[in-house]
Amino acid sequence: MILILTCASTVRIFLTDTMLKVAIQGYEGCFHQIAANKYFGRDIEIMPHDTFRGVAAAVKSGEADKGVMAIENSIAGSIIANYSILQDANLQVAGEVYLPVMQNLMALPGVKLDDIREVESHPMALLQCVEYLDQHPWKLIESEDTALSARHIAEKGLRHTAAIASELAAEMFGLQILASEVNTIKSNYTRFMILKRHDHNIDPHANKASLYFKTNHKEGSLLKALSQLNGINLSKLQSYPIPSEPWHYLFHIDLEFQCLDDYISNLDRLQRATEEVHVYGVYRSGK
C-alpha cells in the first residue's frame, strides 16, 4: 500500500508493509506453501519453519499473521501430535484447505531419465511413489523435505540426481519435470488448518466447526455426549490421549451444519453432557 503525506508544496511517498505473513512447516516450494497460496493467494510472505510447533509459536507470538498446519491425510490418517499443538498453543482455526498431493520427478534442465542414478526426497514422499520407483534401479536418498531436495539439486548442480517434489518446487528452483504425478495412489489428499490468534469473530457464512470435549471416565459417557448431536453432521471423531491422565482421552470432532443456530444449539447440549468443551474455530468448509 502507498501512503502519501503532503506538507506545503512537498509530497512524500512512503511504502507501508501490509503483506500478510504466513507461517508454514517445511521449506519454500513445499505442499504447505501450495496450501497457503491456495487459501490466501500468492501475494503473501511465506515464513518457513522446521517444525509444526514453530508454526504455532510464530502465530501465537505475532511474528506471523496466520499459520498453515497439516492435520490429516486421506491415506495416512490424522496427525495426532498436531491436535496437541493446537490445544497447547490456544490458537483459533480460521479455515481449512484440502490439497491433492501430486508428486513429480524432477531434475536439472537437459537431464534425461537415463542420466539419473539417485532420487532424493522426504521418506514419506518416497513411500508414496514406491510403485514408480521400483521400476528403476535408482538409489533412494532420504531428506528432510521434498522442496529441500529440489533446492539441493539446483544449488549443487547435481546432474545424476533427481528429486521428488511438487510442481511449485520445480518452478521455484528451475528444474524440469521428467515424470508427472508419480505417486502410486492418485486420490491422495491432505487437509490443512488455517491458524490465527484468538479474536472470537465468527464468519456469518460458516458451516463447519472444530472442537474437542472431555467426558468423565464412566461407562456410556462418550455415547451420551455424541447422542446430543442432532440435525448436524459429525464428519470427524478422533480421540487423543491426555498426557497428564494416563488412559484418559480428549475427543476431537468436526461438525458440519446448515446454519449457525443449529451449531449453537448442539454446542449447548454438548456442554451440558460433558466435563469440558473447547471450540478451536467456526469457519467455512474447504471442500
Side-chain angles (χ1 to χ4, degrees), residues 25 29 32 34-35 39 75 85 116 167 179 202 204-205 207 225 230 235 240 242 262 267 277 281 285:
Q25 188 276 325
H32 272 80
I34 298 174
Y39 190 86
I75 298 172
I85 293 173
I116 302 302
E167 186 176 347
I202 296 180
H205 301 291
N207 60 356
N230 297 311
S235 58
Y240 55 101
I242 304 174
D262 289 341
L267 179 62
V277 175
S285 171

Side-chain angles (χ1 to χ4, degrees), residues 161-235:
T161 304
I164 287 179
S166 69
E167 186 176 347
L168 177 61
E171 175 188 328
M172 291 184 66
F173 302 118
L175 302 181
Q176 64 170 338
I177 294 179
L178 300 177
S180 301
E181 296 185 37
V182 295
N183 39 295
T184 303
I185 299 176
K186 306 305 179 186
S187 57
N188 181 12
Y189 285 78
T190 295
R191 178 187 175 208
F192 299 83
M193 283 186 165
I194 307 301
L195 307 180
K196 67 176 181 177
R197 292 179 292 284
H198 264 285
D199 57 18
H200 301 291
N201 293 330
I202 296 180
D203 185 339
H205 301 291
N207 60 356
K208 190 171 184 177
S210 293
L211 55 148
Y212 75 75
F213 64 85
K214 178 183 178 183
T215 65
N216 58 44
H217 204 54
K218 295 181 180 179
E219 182 178 350
S221 59
L222 176 59
L223 179 60
K224 179 183 177 182
L226 295 178
S227 67
Q228 306 304 309
L229 304 176
N230 297 311
I232 200 167
N233 182 35
L234 176 63
S235 58

Side-chain angles (χ1 to χ4, degrees), residues 6-265:
T6 61
C7 180
S9 60
T10 303
V11 177
R12 296 180 181 179
I13 300 177
F14 299 90
L15 295 178
T16 61
D17 183 11
T18 59
M19 186 172 288
L20 190 74
K21 297 178 179 179
V22 181
I24 65 168
Q25 188 276 325
Y27 296 81
E28 289 183 305
C30 68
F31 288 101
H32 272 80
Q33 180 171 355
I34 298 174
N37 289 339
K38 182 177 179 181
Y39 190 86
F40 296 108
R42 287 209 171 193
D43 191 21
I44 58 176
E45 180 183 346
I46 293 295
M47 304 180 69
H49 290 267
D50 293 336
T51 66
F52 289 114
R53 287 198 176 276
V55 172
V59 178
K60 186 176 181 179
S61 69
E63 177 189 355
D65 300 306
K66 298 290 190 297
V68 178
M69 183 173 75
I71 199 69
E72 64 178 318
N73 178 265
S74 59
I75 298 172
S78 298
I79 307 175
I80 300 296
N82 285 0
Y83 286 107
S84 296
I85 293 173
L86 193 59
Q87 179 187 354
D88 295 341
N90 194 32
L91 295 174
Q92 188 171 334
V93 176
E96 64 179 2
V97 175
Y98 288 83
L99 188 73
V101 178
M102 293 180 287
Q103 304 287 8
N104 305 279
L105 184 77
M106 58 193 67
L108 290 171
V111 171
K112 300 179 181 179
L113 281 177
D114 291 342
D115 300 322
I116 302 302
R117 300 290 180 267
E118 301 174 339
V119 175
E120 177 182 326
S121 194
H122 188 276
M124 183 58 70
L126 294 174
L127 284 174
Q128 291 173 348
C129 306
V130 65
E131 188 174 286
Y132 175 81
L133 294 172
D134 281 349
Q135 301 175 28
H136 303 275
W138 297 325
K139 178 182 177 181
L140 304 183
I141 301 174
E142 297 182 353
S143 70
E144 298 177 52
D145 186 83
T146 55
L148 184 62
S149 294
R151 189 175 78 181
H152 177 238
I153 289 170
E155 290 179 347
K156 298 296 183 181
L158 304 178
R159 302 196 64 82
H160 297 290
T161 304
I164 287 179
S166 69
E167 186 176 347
L168 177 61
E171 175 188 328
M172 291 184 66
F173 302 118
L175 302 181
Q176 64 170 338
I177 294 179
L178 300 177
S180 301
E181 296 185 37
V182 295
N183 39 295
T184 303
I185 299 176
K186 306 305 179 186
S187 57
N188 181 12
Y189 285 78
T190 295
R191 178 187 175 208
F192 299 83
M193 283 186 165
I194 307 301
L195 307 180
K196 67 176 181 177
R197 292 179 292 284
H198 264 285
D199 57 18
H200 301 291
N201 293 330
I202 296 180
D203 185 339
H205 301 291
N207 60 356
K208 190 171 184 177
S210 293
L211 55 148
Y212 75 75
F213 64 85
K214 178 183 178 183
T215 65
N216 58 44
H217 204 54
K218 295 181 180 179
E219 182 178 350
S221 59
L222 176 59
L223 179 60
K224 179 183 177 182
L226 295 178
S227 67
Q228 306 304 309
L229 304 176
N230 297 311
I232 200 167
N233 182 35
L234 176 63
S235 58
K236 186 173 183 62
L237 172 62
Q238 176 72 57
S239 65
Y240 55 101
I242 304 174
S244 59
E245 301 178 39
W247 311 116
H248 288 229
Y249 298 87
L250 295 175
F251 298 93
H252 174 99
I253 58 175
D254 288 337
L255 303 176
E256 297 178 351
F257 45 87
Q258 296 297 319
C259 67
L260 283 171
D261 287 343
D262 289 341
Y263 160 69
I264 292 171
S265 61

